């Protein structure tokens, strides 16, 4: 919102250098091991116009902030509001340029918990005293600081959607009027947010569009098509974000049933190189324990290596279950190392951490150290049939 981008040139150069470096790394790294295969990518859930929000948090005005870094939390916030991923990327490309996703950053590069009139502050570098006061008032009402990430996101959401907001009065609905299926959708969303919401004196679209592209590639898994710009706000059939609820034979699907109903192939297709299953679901999707067991490792590894932030569960009888590539494996209450979990219990939210090229859940089952094929088990659970004994699952034939 500031008349200039907020960062001092030195910081800005560093950010640009980091962005260039990130680009360079992308070029040299060989194809990751645990990746969505091309077939899966073309079947991404967002291609379905009936795609519903991935996550519901009943009883609260705003969703939980799920993720390991601010960018991921912001992505998940808008996704839970059912904003189309292309539009989220447009918003976030702007935020990257304004604040680098830091809610406490002050124009010039220092940090503070509260804004000063006339000086850019926070995610969108709000500058006018009037808008800053609205932010401060909302923070007070929530018992939090104006620098709180959730408070700022709620404020942005209010500005974008409430008829009484300055933005809505001035600009109407240009962001949500962007057709996310058009070939210029990402550019249009980024530009409209830049001109109508941020309105800097020097509109640097190319920098913001590059950032939007990186964000969409990182969190979107694919360039989505299908669906409205705001995916229906009213209808809501998703289970509470706590447990799957439907157990068959004492076991649970690792996701809500709707993902199996949406496309059973996500659960039954072969894995790319060894017995396991890759289930494509958006970042932030609740993941449940298939079986009861004891958490023996969470997170499974760092956000960057191998399984990413996953959960490893000892299900007894020599059976180990590994849930990989989560956003928050190891940080969910009741699913930390040493905890005993029930089938259907929420253990993490899916993500794109570790060696992964697109958002998905990697499910691996080991019986006495040997990897077995989860596909028959998942298919039976998805169909509501009695699941096969895990020890009887095939040890080959589900990889290519
Ligand atoms: Zn995998």
């Amino acid at each position: 919102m500031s008349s200039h981008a907020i960062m001092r040139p030195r910081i800005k150069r560093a950010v640009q250098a980091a962005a260039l470096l990130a680009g360079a790394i992308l070029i040299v790294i060989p194809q990751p091991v645990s990746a969505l295969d091309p077939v899966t990518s073309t079947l991404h859930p967002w291609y379905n116009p009936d795609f519903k929000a991935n996550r519901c948090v009943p009883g609260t005005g705003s969703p939980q902030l799920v993720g390991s870094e601010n960018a991921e939390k912001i992505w998940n916030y808008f996704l839970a509001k059912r904003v189309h991923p292309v539009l989220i990327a447009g918003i976030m490309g702007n935020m990257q340029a304004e604040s680098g996703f830091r809610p406490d950053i002050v124009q010039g590069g220092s940090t503070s918990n509260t804004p000063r009139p006339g000086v850019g502050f926070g995610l969108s570098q709000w500058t006018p005293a009037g808008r800053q006061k609205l932010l401060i008032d909302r923070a007070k009402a929530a018992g939090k600081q104006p620098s709180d990430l959730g408070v700022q996101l709620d404020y942005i959401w209010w500005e974008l959607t409430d008829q009484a907001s300055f933005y809505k009065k001035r600009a109407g609905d240009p962001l949500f009027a962007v057709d996310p299926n058009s070939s210029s959708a990402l550019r249009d969303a980024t530009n409209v947010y830049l001109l109508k919401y941020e309105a800097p004196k020097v509109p640097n679209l190319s920098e913001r569009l590059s950032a939007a592209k990186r964000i969409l590639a990182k969190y979107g898994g694919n360039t989505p098509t299908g669906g409205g710009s705001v995916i229906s706000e009213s209808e809501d059939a998703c289970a509470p974000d706590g447990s799957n609820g439907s157990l068959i034979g004492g076991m649970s699907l690792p996701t809500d049933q709707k993902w199996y109903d949406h496309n059973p192939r996500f659960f039954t297709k072969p894995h790319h190189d060894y017995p396991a299953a890759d289930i494509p679901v958006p970042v932030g999707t609740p993941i449940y324990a298939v079986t009861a067991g004891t958490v023996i490792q969470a997170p499974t590894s760092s956000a960057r290596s191998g399984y990413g932030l996953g959960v490893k569960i000892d299900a007894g009888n020599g059976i180990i279950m590994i849930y990989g590539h989560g956003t928050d494996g190891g940080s969910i209450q009741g699913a930390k190392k040493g905890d005993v979990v029930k089938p259907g219990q929420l253990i993490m939210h899916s993500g794109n951490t570790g060696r992964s090229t697109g958002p998905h859940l990697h499910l691996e089952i080991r019986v006495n150290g040997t990897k077995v094929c989860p596909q028959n088990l998942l298919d039976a659970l998805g169909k509501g049939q009695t699941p096969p004994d895990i020890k009887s699952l095939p040890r080959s034939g589900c990889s290519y």
Side-chain angles (χ1 to χ4, degrees):
M1 277 315 296
S2 62
S3 50
H4 295 272
I6 52 98
M7 289 178 274
R8 286 171 300 186
R10 193 151 47 92
I11 294 179
K12 197 160 182 176
R13 273 200 301 275
V15 170
Q16 283 165 346
L20 278 173
L21 190 62
I25 287 168
L26 276 179
I27 293 159
V28 276
I29 281 183
Q31 200 52 13
V33 184
S34 179
L36 285 179
D37 59 80
V39 176
T40 315
S41 300
T42 61
L43 292 174
H44 196 279
W46 287 320
Y47 279 85
N48 186 331
D50 296 329
F51 169 64
K52 306 289 196 301
N54 63 313
R55 197 163 54 85
C56 303
V57 182
T60 58
S62 60
Q64 293 163 348
L65 295 176
V66 177
S68 53
E69 55 187 11
N70 279 358
E72 193 171 26
K73 289 175 182 170
I74 295 166
W75 174 272
N76 286 333
Y77 177 92
F78 287 109
L79 197 63
K81 294 288 192 191
R82 304 175 189 202
V83 178
H84 195 282
V86 166
L87 304 195
I88 302 176
I91 294 172
M92 289 181 65
N94 278 283
M95 267 183 204
Q96 167 82 73
E98 292 286 340
S99 62
F101 308 121
R102 293 189 55 184
D104 61 349
I105 197 115
V106 176
Q107 182 175 1
S110 63
T111 60
S112 170
N113 282 330
T114 49
R116 255 188 310 139
V119 181
F121 174 78
L123 289 180
S124 283
Q125 292 293 291
W126 295 282
T127 308
R131 286 172 104 182
Q132 290 182 347
K133 183 174 183 310
L134 288 170
L135 178 68
I136 293 167
D137 290 347
R138 293 179 72 88
K140 268 190 197 139
K144 290 179 178 159
Q145 296 279 6
S147 59
D148 182 84
L149 180 61
V151 166
Q152 293 195 8
L153 289 171
D154 280 345
Y155 177 59
I156 290 171
W157 187 246
W158 177 82
E159 283 208 326
L160 287 173
T161 56
D162 195 294
Q163 295 303 332
S165 85
F166 167 79
Y167 169 84
K168 283 278 279 188
K169 278 185 198 153
R170 183 179 68 180
D173 261 336
L175 179 67
F176 298 132
V178 170
D179 174 5
N181 299 313
S182 85
S183 57
S184 61
L186 188 60
R187 186 188 183 87
D188 293 346
T190 309
N191 195 36
V192 110
Y193 199 84
L194 166 64
L195 297 179
K196 301 295 185 187
Y197 189 85
E198 300 289 2
K201 276 193 184 129
V202 184
N204 49 342
L205 176 62
S206 63
E207 177 193 340
R208 291 167 190 238
L209 185 56
S210 312
K213 282 178 185 161
R214 286 196 302 274
I215 289 157
L216 188 60
K218 183 167 183 187
Y219 297 112
N222 222 316
T223 303
T225 60
S229 55
V230 176
I231 302 161
S232 169
E233 182 72 12
S234 57
E235 56 182 312
D236 186 3
C238 61
D241 190 359
S243 74
N244 185 336
S246 54
L247 299 186
I248 310 141
M251 286 194 243
S252 162
L253 264 183
T255 66
D256 285 314
Q257 178 72 35
K258 66 179 175 182
W259 293 110
Y260 181 88
D261 295 345
H262 167 69
N263 195 334
R265 179 83 180 135
F266 289 165
F267 296 76
T268 57
K269 68 186 181 59
H271 191 250
H272 47 88
D273 51 4
Y274 59 84
D278 279 347
I279 304 167
V281 281
V283 171
T285 303
I287 300 301
Y288 311 107
V290 175
T291 63
T294 305
V295 179
I296 51 175
Q297 203 185 340
T300 43
S301 55
S302 76
R304 292 176 195 282
S305 66
Y307 299 113
L309 304 176
V311 177
K312 193 170 178 180
I313 292 175
D314 183 343
N317 292 320
I319 298 167
I320 304 287
M321 314 280 292
I322 301 169
Y323 306 80
H325 311 308
T327 57
D328 51 2
S331 62
I332 295 224
Q333 206 61 39
K336 295 178 178 158
K337 190 178 173 184
D339 288 344
V340 175
V341 301
K342 294 179 192 148
Q345 180 178 329
L346 177 75
I347 52 170
M348 69 176 194
H349 292 83
S350 72
N352 192 21
T353 56
R355 281 200 292 275
S356 169
T357 57
H360 74 290
L361 168 69
H362 169 92
L363 178 68
E364 191 173 311
I365 306 177
R366 296 180 191 168
V367 176
N368 297 322
T370 302
K371 296 185 184 86
V372 299
C373 296
Q375 283 77 3
N376 294 350
L377 174 68
L378 294 170
D379 199 33
L381 291 168
K383 286 179 175 143
Q385 298 168 350
T386 306
D389 180 355
I390 287 181
K391 291 199 161 182
S392 75
L393 291 172
R395 292 162 186 231
S396 61
C398 61
S399 55
Y400 56 89

